[in-house]
Amino acid sequence: MNESGKLRVAVVGAGAAGLCAARHILSRAELFEPPVVFEQSARVGGTWYYEERVGTSDDGRPIHGSMYRDLRTNLPKEVMMFPDFPFDSHLPSFLTHWDVQQYLETYCKSHDVTPHVKFNTMVEEVKPISMETDEGGAVRWEVISRGMHGGHNTQTFDSVFICSGHYSAPHLPSIPGIEHFKGKVMHSHCYRCPEPFAHQSVVVLGAGSSGVDISFELAQAKAQVILSHNKPALPFSLPLEIKQAPPVVKVLDDGSLFFQDGSVAHAQVLLLCTGYKYQFPFLCPKQLGLEVQHHLLAPLYKYLVLPAFPSLFFIGVCTVICPFLHFHYQIQFALAVLDGTVQLPSRELMDEDAERERQRKTQMGVHLLQMDSDQWDYYVSLAKTVGLPPPNPVIQSLYEEVARQRRANPQAYRELNYKLANATEWQLLNAPSEQ
Ligand code: FAD
């Protein structure tokens, strides 16, 4: 706390989560100083700021985004939006990345967030410092940042919100013999558009949402695609250009790909749609007692509070969620913890709670941070604790309907347009096209 008696909060990242954090901190000016939002790039938007370039920028910044040129959202705008900030009513339900970027820029301007963003500034270190004068040994945080055009800066904060995203650091599976592959190996993080792959043979590894979407794009560009994955046969029809195969298990000496069923194929491109790993290069996990693995970040109480350091918040690290809705509730919960409205349990109880949750997820056979149907009770619980209205039930109902449509027809479900009729019903505005 500074001389004004107000709390100082640092926000790492000016993507959707960081902007939402800044907006809510600014709305509590009686208790919080304006936030400092550190953003390594020159723009807000994070994932939604499309950069054609891959690798690093001219000033040595790693290109953060994994967005591809023709992506349309997999959630309709009615489900995607921050609950207090609707998308333009003229837009279709499923949006381009450009629409979402415009929305986030408008959100930022409407809430006067931009003056608080330190652009071209990368956070290099976030570390706890004990303040001996604080009763109870309250921890403060030192944030060391580097301007992309030179110069380091160190500032002290009462709390840090980590909003740095987790779709940027590719997870690269280890494939024995990969050094023999004679074609191009790339990760979907560096995929932008299908034209360079026209008429080429491409093995896409992984049938998550990016793997399936990108396979369709490649097929339209007349690439010959083998979609290699470890799921049961996909329950929808695929264009002739896409064949399915089990996982690639190794590369043979002659450079051909060897699949789990013993089949073999030559390919010009191996496109890894194998997801992303959690990465926080500015934190020292050992010092914080934080376990960071490919699919795991633990222990986190309520999926956002580190029990040993309850003024460090991880926003939006869960998967299979409605991200903007999720940020909305997590951030307001975190602010209620800081302003004392919500009393956290003791460290021991939070650790026990996080461990129980980990065991429950292990028994369910899902990754700890994967939410899906669990997310609704989670939002209700956060909302109730903080005294906010819970999500409108129609959002869940539309989310579930879209998931059904996506499973049945992942190529065409985005042609549908929905409208919220009232608090419990939505309407379909156009008929599904023939498959
Ligand atoms: P990000 O958008 O990743 O923003 C993080 C920000 O932090 C970036 O601006 C980055 O530059 C900055 N940063 C990182 N490290 C540092 C540092 N050390 N110092 C300073 N700044 C830093 N969600 C949906 O709701 N609907 C969709 O249809 C959808 N489609 C998606 C498609 C793709 C290909 C991907 C990758 C994601 C998609 N998502 C979708 C999920 C999307 O990630 C979330 O919607 C949301 O944008 C995440 O916001 P965020 O702020 O948590 O992270």
Side-chain angles (χ1 to χ4, degrees), residues 48 71-77 80 87-88 91-100:
W48 296 102
L71 177 131
R72 283 177 68 203
T73 57
N74 56 19
L75 295 176
K77 68 174 198 266
M80 255 191 89
F87 278 90
D88 184 333
L91 291 169
S93 281
F94 295 92
L95 307 161
T96 64
H97 55 73
W98 172 251
D99 296 325
V100 183

Side-chain angles (χ1 to χ4, degrees), residues 243-310:
K243 307 266 178 294
Q244 295 185 67
V248 172
V249 285
K250 61 181 172 182
V251 181
L252 301 178
D253 291 351
D254 67 355
S256 55
L257 299 169
F258 184 88
F259 298 90
Q260 204 171 47
D261 62 357
S263 59
V264 170
H266 280 279
Q268 287 160 292
V269 181
L270 176 59
L271 179 47
L272 305 172
C273 294
T274 42
Y276 296 87
K277 57 186 181 190
Y278 292 99
Q279 189 170 278
F280 304 95
F282 46 86
L283 295 178
C284 173
K286 202 169 166 202
Q287 179 188 28
L288 298 172
L290 181 67
E291 190 183 343
V292 186
Q293 286 180 31
H294 169 210
H295 278 297
L296 188 99
L297 192 60
L300 288 182
Y301 176 67
K302 299 242 178 237
Y303 293 100
L304 89 154
V305 185
L306 191 58
F309 294 93

